[in-house]
Amino acid sequence: MPVRLSKQISLALLALGLCVLSGCGFHLKKASYIPEDLRQMVLIGEDPKSALLEQLQADLSRSQVQLNAKSSAQSAELVLLKDRLERQTLSLFKNGQVAQYELAYSVAYRVTRPGQKPTEHSFELYRNYQDDPDNALAKSKELDLLLSELRKQASQRIIRQLSQL
């Protein structure tokens, strides 16, 4: 009897857990599926050496998008118009040095599909960054990691938005 009772209790707890999980709005994220007319694309950037452009090239290739060097009538065009990082001071130390920044990474791009009008999209990503003048080298490395993370998230967001066009 105790084994059967413990199985029933564990099943009841599992069912309760699933009900709570589904009740909170959790759902699995679908993979980004790029529509057929965007499977061949020309990727253009204002700055050809932009780190976001390089990240976007790698992510689009992983999403099975064929990147062409020259535009044609059958290929879509993705133009990265801007990617800019701005810093705003959030707080100061007692001595007047900056203690915390808010980083705002803004991205704007234009998508031109074959036979359709171009559409422009833009978004911003935000992060807080705490500065420490005593550990300048470590904080510089942390800032580089934050910027890399912001670029990855921006690239993934562009691909998600392409999949919803």
Side-chain angles (χ1 to χ4, degrees), residues 7 18 20 24 28-29 37 53 55 58 60 72 80 86 111 113 123 127 133 144 148 165:
K7 282 185 179 181
L18 289 174
V20 168
C24 75
L28 292 174
K29 197 173 178 181
D37 63 338
L53 189 67
Q55 181 70 43
L60 284 170
S72 67
L80 191 59
E86 295 175 359
V111 178
R113 298 172 98 167
F123 59 89
R127 291 289 178 279
D144 289 343
S148 174
L165 292 178

Side-chain angles (χ1 to χ4, degrees), residues 18-35:
L18 289 174
C19 286
V20 168
L21 191 61
S22 66
C24 75
F26 174 81
H27 61 280
L28 292 174
K29 197 173 178 181
K30 290 191 269 181
S32 295
Y33 176 76
I34 305 292

Side-chain angles (χ1 to χ4, degrees), residues 78-112:
L78 175 63
V79 180
L80 191 59
L81 300 172
K82 76 167 184 170
D83 65 321
R84 182 181 12 212
L85 180 72
E86 295 175 359
R87 290 191 323 183
Q88 256 189 336
T89 302
L90 289 180
S91 64
L92 300 171
F93 289 117
K94 290 180 182 180
N95 62 4
Q97 290 181 319
V98 177
Q100 189 175 21
Y101 291 107
E102 178 183 56
L103 303 175
Y105 189 61
S106 57
V107 177
Y109 64 96
R110 180 178 59 238
V111 178
T112 307

Side-chain angles (χ1 to χ4, degrees), residues 66-83:
Q66 179 184 351
L67 296 174
N68 301 329
K70 294 182 181 179
S71 57
S72 67
Q74 293 84 18
S75 65
E77 187 176 270
L78 175 63
V79 180
L80 191 59
L81 300 172
K82 76 167 184 170
D83 65 321

Side-chain angles (χ1 to χ4, degrees), residues 38-160:
L38 295 176
R39 292 280 177 170
Q40 288 190 5
M41 182 180 294
V42 177
L43 182 60
I44 302 169
E46 296 278 321
D47 179 12
K49 297 189 181 202
S50 164
L52 177 60
L53 189 67
E54 292 175 10
Q55 181 70 43
L56 197 53
Q57 285 174 337
D59 288 346
L60 284 170
S61 294
R62 276 194 290 275
S63 296
Q64 286 117 18
V65 173
Q66 179 184 351
L67 296 174
N68 301 329
K70 294 182 181 179
S71 57
S72 67
Q74 293 84 18
S75 65
E77 187 176 270
L78 175 63
V79 180
L80 191 59
L81 300 172
K82 76 167 184 170
D83 65 321
R84 182 181 12 212
L85 180 72
E86 295 175 359
R87 290 191 323 183
Q88 256 189 336
T89 302
L90 289 180
S91 64
L92 300 171
F93 289 117
K94 290 180 182 180
N95 62 4
Q97 290 181 319
V98 177
Q100 189 175 21
Y101 291 107
E102 178 183 56
L103 303 175
Y105 189 61
S106 57
V107 177
Y109 64 96
R110 180 178 59 238
V111 178
T112 307
R113 298 172 98 167
Q116 295 182 13
K117 291 183 180 180
T119 58
E120 290 195 11
H121 306 271
S122 62
F123 59 89
E124 289 185 347
L125 301 172
Y126 296 95
R127 291 289 178 279
N128 288 344
Y129 169 71
Q130 293 185 353
D131 198 14
D132 184 4
D134 295 332
N135 295 318
L137 187 58
K139 286 300 182 174
S140 173
K141 185 67 175 170
E142 182 183 348
L143 181 61
D144 289 343
L145 289 172
L146 270 174
L147 292 176
S148 174
E149 179 186 315
L150 284 171
R151 286 186 199 105
K152 285 179 186 176
Q153 287 181 348
S155 175
Q156 291 168 358
R157 185 164 179 177
I158 291 172
I159 291 175
R160 264 194 324 273

